[in-house]
Amino acid sequence: MTKRGWAGLAAAVIVLAVPGIFFVKAATDRDENVALTRNEVAKGPSGGRVWRGTMTNRSDDSLYRDVAVTVRFLDRNGRPVGEVSGRADRLEAGKGLDLEAPLPALATGMQMHKLHWRTGDVSADLGPYAAWPFGHVQECFPRAACR
């Protein structure tokens, strides 16, 4: 093969490999497969604000075990004014861990403070994440993973 042929082959490999690398990274990213897919404030039965969130297993076929999450509610200065925690022994692909808590009056945003999970021989302890406004969710793919 000529130099020109090798160069063309190398360029083709690069063009095909780069999107593949990004796809594999997205599919295996430690903090994207169990993600916040619902983050909403509603009026509770007593008239006060209630926060509802869902952590969803967005993988195609992975089972996550020992899932535990702590969400902090933050005031306008970013200080914690409350929190809610939840856990699930098993979180199968496409399933969610629902969270709900009365929202403190001073809360203006939230933060996923801790996220723990295990799958296969891998375990992850993630967080704290950046502060997010109410309503923010992690990008959902596939879209059906969002509620």
Side-chain angles (χ1 to χ4, degrees):
M1 190 178 278
T2 67
K3 280 187 176 181
R4 187 177 203 143
W6 282 111
L9 179 62
V13 168
I14 291 170
V15 166
L16 295 174
V18 169
I21 291 167
F22 285 114
F23 175 77
V24 169
K25 177 162 176 15
T28 58
D29 200 343
R30 291 174 14 122
D31 65 351
E32 293 296 322
N33 284 340
V34 177
L36 183 69
T37 58
R38 182 173 64 162
N39 173 10
E40 62 188 28
V41 176
K43 194 172 203 177
S46 63
R49 296 184 313 158
V50 175
W51 179 83
R52 293 185 180 112
T54 301
M55 298 300 298
T56 301
N57 175 352
R58 298 185 316 178
S59 70
D60 289 334
D61 59 5
S62 295
L63 168 67
Y64 287 85
R65 298 181 322 277
D66 300 327
V67 176
V69 62
T70 301
V71 172
R72 286 188 173 171
F73 304 120
L74 307 174
D75 68 11
R76 63 187 174 113
N77 296 315
R79 291 185 300 247
V81 293
E83 69 179 36
V84 61
S85 296
R87 62 175 292 106
D89 292 332
R90 298 170 52 92
L91 194 58
E92 296 184 27
K95 301 297 180 186
L97 169 61
D98 292 325
L99 304 164
E100 183 174 317
L103 198 56
L106 295 176
T108 60
M110 54 81 62
Q111 174 192 44
M112 283 187 1
H113 183 67
K114 294 180 187 175
L115 175 60
H116 169 83
W117 52 255
R118 291 188 315 126
T119 186
D121 294 335
V122 177
S123 88
D125 288 298
L126 305 169
Y129 289 67
W132 293 334
F134 294 124
H136 173 85
V137 294
Q138 290 172 285
E139 190 62 33
C140 295
F141 183 83
R143 194 73 191 142
C146 292
R147 292 186 183 190

